[in-house]
Amino acid sequence: MTPFTLLIKPSGSDCNIDCTYCFYKSRSPEVGSGRQRMTFDTLETLVRQYMGLGFPVPGFAWQGGEPTLMGVEFFRKAVECERRYGRSGQQVSNTFQTNGVLLDETWCRFFRENLFLLGISIDGPERFHDVYRLDHAGRGTFARAMRGISTCREHGVEFSVLILLNDRNVAHPDDLFRFVVENRFGYVQFIPCIERDPLTRRRAPFSITPRQYGDFLSRLFDLWCDYGPDRLNIREFDSLTTRFVLGHPTICTYSRECGGFLVVEHTGDAFSCEFFVGPEWRLGNIRETPIEDLAGAEARLAFARSKEDLSGRCRRCPHLEICWGGCLKDRTRMGDGSARRESYFCDGYLRFFDYARPRIEEIAAAVREGRLGRRTREAEAVRMVLP
């Protein structure tokens, strides 16, 4: 079986903050709300089945909602199970996506001791971050997130930064880049925001336009090239560079097929993608059907292949082999639900690829020839090795 990563939502959609643009707010009511918690029994079933597949580097990606709401003991149990059901010498990857608000010494000691890699969401300087990333009392969370980052650094915890591009910060690439550099963030990802307003069914006001995205990426690329591609890893640019160095991208957005993940919700229900969680996409439940069978289910394989159901415009595009139509959610969310549509961000991608592709190919050639080093999260990530 082709290895895949488990993307686990132990606290479901439950979160300790209330981001205006949270994609759970436009999800099906069946996803649920309020307090949601995975039981220890479900956790053990999940880890036992997955470790039993014998992948060389089994990957656990803990997300939410907000996974710190589970408490550190839940993850101590997870690591205990990984050790119990793994084999000697096996490497285990644990990644953990968080808003950073609850990170303290106890959490950070645990993450450092067990070699977790964190992804921390922060939308740039306070004037941008605190527009939409508010707690349930309507207060900004910037200071608390930055305090969590400081605690990570004090304890030697590895982390990346995720910046969601919205209507407020997308027009300020210079400010966001300066923020990244001044705070010595070595690994950063920029995620474009596009959601429907659940009432009007039109583009939600905090979303960005394709033109804004293309302009942002183009300016950011210039800043990155001037600063030094070997000094800062921007995930979107690294993935494109890797495509020309090794022949494949590092992120699913630019992959030919979906399928690198199996999503498991707090109930044990499994899905092919975190953006397609609803009754119509449910593959089954790990307490009733083994993970191996869920991963090999025809419904999951068909979902993976659906990314190749491209529009005529995509098939004629000179950048097809580096884009492959982009993320399925961006092809279905703002249209009629068909995968055979261009990405909502298509015009932005075209603008950026036309602008940057020649230099990306030059950077890739320099990497292949050893003239340029490269910071890669995959190469530098430290994993737990089982005794």
Side-chain angles (χ1 to χ4, degrees):
M1 172 175 287
T2 302
F4 59 88
T5 296
L6 281 185
L7 198 161
I8 310 157
K9 306 273 192 171
S11 58
S13 62
D14 194 8
C15 191
N16 58 323
I17 68 174
D18 188 29
C19 298
T20 307
Y21 51 54
C22 179
F23 65 80
Y24 272 113
K25 293 185 177 182
S26 61
R27 290 283 192 91
S28 166
E30 287 84 357
V31 174
S33 59
R35 181 182 173 85
Q36 301 170 34
R37 300 290 185 270
M38 179 177 283
T39 66
F40 282 132
D41 187 52
T42 299
L43 172 66
E44 184 166 6
T45 298
L46 177 149
V47 176
R48 173 174 50 79
Q49 291 184 9
Y50 182 59
M51 295 298 290
L53 298 178
F55 295 150
V57 185
F60 296 84
W62 307 96
Q63 296 193 11
E66 175 51 44
T68 55
L69 292 178
M70 298 301 298
V72 73
E73 289 306 317
F74 179 87
F75 294 98
R76 292 191 198 281
K77 175 72 171 178
V79 170
E80 176 189 317
C81 289
E82 291 168 2
R83 295 180 185 277
R84 182 187 313 156
Y85 295 113
R87 64 173 186 270
S88 179
Q90 192 174 24
Q91 296 184 47
V92 180
S93 169
N94 282 288
T95 60
F96 192 99
Q97 178 59 37
T98 176
N99 56 44
V101 168
L102 296 179
L103 297 181
D104 58 14
E105 290 190 1
T106 299
W107 274 111
C108 289
R109 281 196 297 268
F110 167 79
F111 289 139
R112 181 69 184 94
E113 290 167 2
N114 295 285
L115 303 179
F116 274 54
L117 171 62
L118 270 59
I120 302 176
S121 296
I122 192 156
D123 286 353
E126 186 171 8
R127 70 182 187 279
F128 298 135
H129 181 95
D130 280 352
V131 173
Y132 295 125
R133 299 190 66 81
L134 308 174
D135 63 19
H136 290 279
R139 299 169 299 188
T141 60
F142 178 82
R144 283 171 281 178
M146 291 299 288
R147 184 170 62 243
I149 287 173
S150 294
T151 308
C152 285
R153 283 181 162 147
E154 289 169 8
H155 291 271
V157 177
E158 295 285 340
F159 67 92
S160 302
V161 167
L162 283 77
I163 296 176
L164 190 131
L165 297 175
N166 54 68
D167 67 312
R168 299 300 183 93
N169 61 10
V170 72
H172 302 276
D174 291 68
D175 291 343
L176 293 186
F177 191 84
R178 188 179 307 111
F179 174 75
V180 166
V181 171
E182 289 178 349
N183 283 281
R184 297 177 289 111
F185 297 145
Y187 300 88
V188 60
Q189 179 180 1
F190 293 89
I191 304 172
C193 181
I194 175 62
E195 295 289 342
R196 279 185 187 269
D197 186 306
L199 297 178
T200 67
R201 306 304 296 165
R202 297 178 181 273
R203 188 183 75 227
F206 46 72
S207 301
I208 65 175
T209 68
R211 175 65 181 262
Q212 286 176 320
Y213 191 41
D215 287 347
F216 177 88
L217 288 176
S218 298
R219 176 56 183 160
L220 184 72
F221 184 73
D222 285 342
L223 293 167
W224 180 66
C225 288
D226 290 343
Y227 182 72
D230 56 338
R231 300 174 62 195
L232 171 64
N233 180 290
I234 295 179
R235 194 180 183 209
E236 291 74 16
F237 303 157
D238 176 68
S239 184
L240 292 170
T241 304
T242 301
R243 160 65 182 79
F244 290 106
V245 174
L246 301 178
H248 60 79
T250 58
I251 59 176
C252 55
T253 300
Y254 300 142
S255 296
R256 185 166 187 162
E257 287 190 351
C258 297
F261 294 92
L262 183 71
V263 178
V264 181
E265 284 282 347
H266 67 289
T267 58
D269 283 347
F271 303 85
S272 298
C273 174
E274 66 173 323
F275 298 111
F276 293 83
V277 172
E280 69 273 32
W281 302 104
R282 182 178 179 272
L283 300 172
N285 189 289
I286 64 168
R287 299 175 62 83
E288 302 164 356
T289 306
I291 282 179
E292 182 175 13
D293 294 342
L294 294 170
E298 177 55 32
R300 180 171 179 267
L301 300 178
F303 179 87
R305 292 192 299 266
S306 67
K307 194 170 190 286
E308 295 184 290
D309 189 15
L310 298 164
S311 71
R313 185 186 184 192
C314 282
R315 293 189 182 280
R316 295 188 300 270
C317 179
H319 305 299
L320 173 61
E321 77 278 11
I322 63 172
C323 176
W324 293 110
C327 181
L328 270 178
K329 75 174 176 63
D330 298 331
R331 285 156 56 176
T332 61
R333 185 155 299 181
M334 296 303 294
D336 57 7
S338 170
R340 193 179 296 173
R341 291 179 57 91
E342 299 89 49
S343 167
Y344 166 81
F345 291 112
C346 180
D347 288 342
Y349 282 132
L350 280 171
R351 187 175 185 81
F352 171 62
F353 293 150
D354 284 343
Y355 181 76
R357 182 168 180 168
R359 278 186 289 170
I360 290 174
E361 293 183 2
E362 290 175 3
I363 291 169
V367 171
R368 285 195 305 270
E369 296 165 8
R371 294 182 286 111
L372 182 68
R374 210 165 128 244
R375 299 197 72 187
T376 63
R377 184 83 279 180
E378 290 76 15
E380 296 185 13
V382 179
R383 302 185 180 103
M384 179 175 68
V385 180
L386 300 184

